[in-house]
Amino acid sequence: MKLSDCRKCKFYDGEIDGNTVCCRFWNTVDYRLIVPCKSGEAQVIVCPSDAMASV
């Protein structure tokens, strides 16, 4: 998931620093890692919303 899309998600709960996003998908505070991409736009990895959409 692109970081810009993550920021629009209803489960998005802010960023701790430049590498970590807070996520409330499981009704708890969970943390997602932000990684840079060659295209220039950061990606959020291990997004539960992405995983649920692909099922």
Side-chain angles (χ1 to χ4, degrees):
M1 172 179 276
K2 293 178 184 175
L3 180 56
S4 57
D5 293 332
C6 180
R7 288 176 174 148
K8 297 175 192 168
C9 180
K10 65 180 179 180
F11 302 113
Y12 175 80
D13 195 31
E15 294 168 39
I16 295 175
D17 54 32
N19 299 314
T20 316
V21 169
C22 294
C23 176
R24 292 196 173 272
F25 186 78
W26 303 114
N27 291 326
T28 60
V29 176
D30 202 350
Y31 302 103
R32 305 285 164 217
L33 204 58
I34 302 169
V35 294
C37 287
K38 291 180 182 177
S39 67
E41 182 158 14
Q43 298 280 323
V44 176
I45 59 172
V46 194
C47 172
S49 184
D50 274 354
M52 298 299 277
S54 65
V55 172

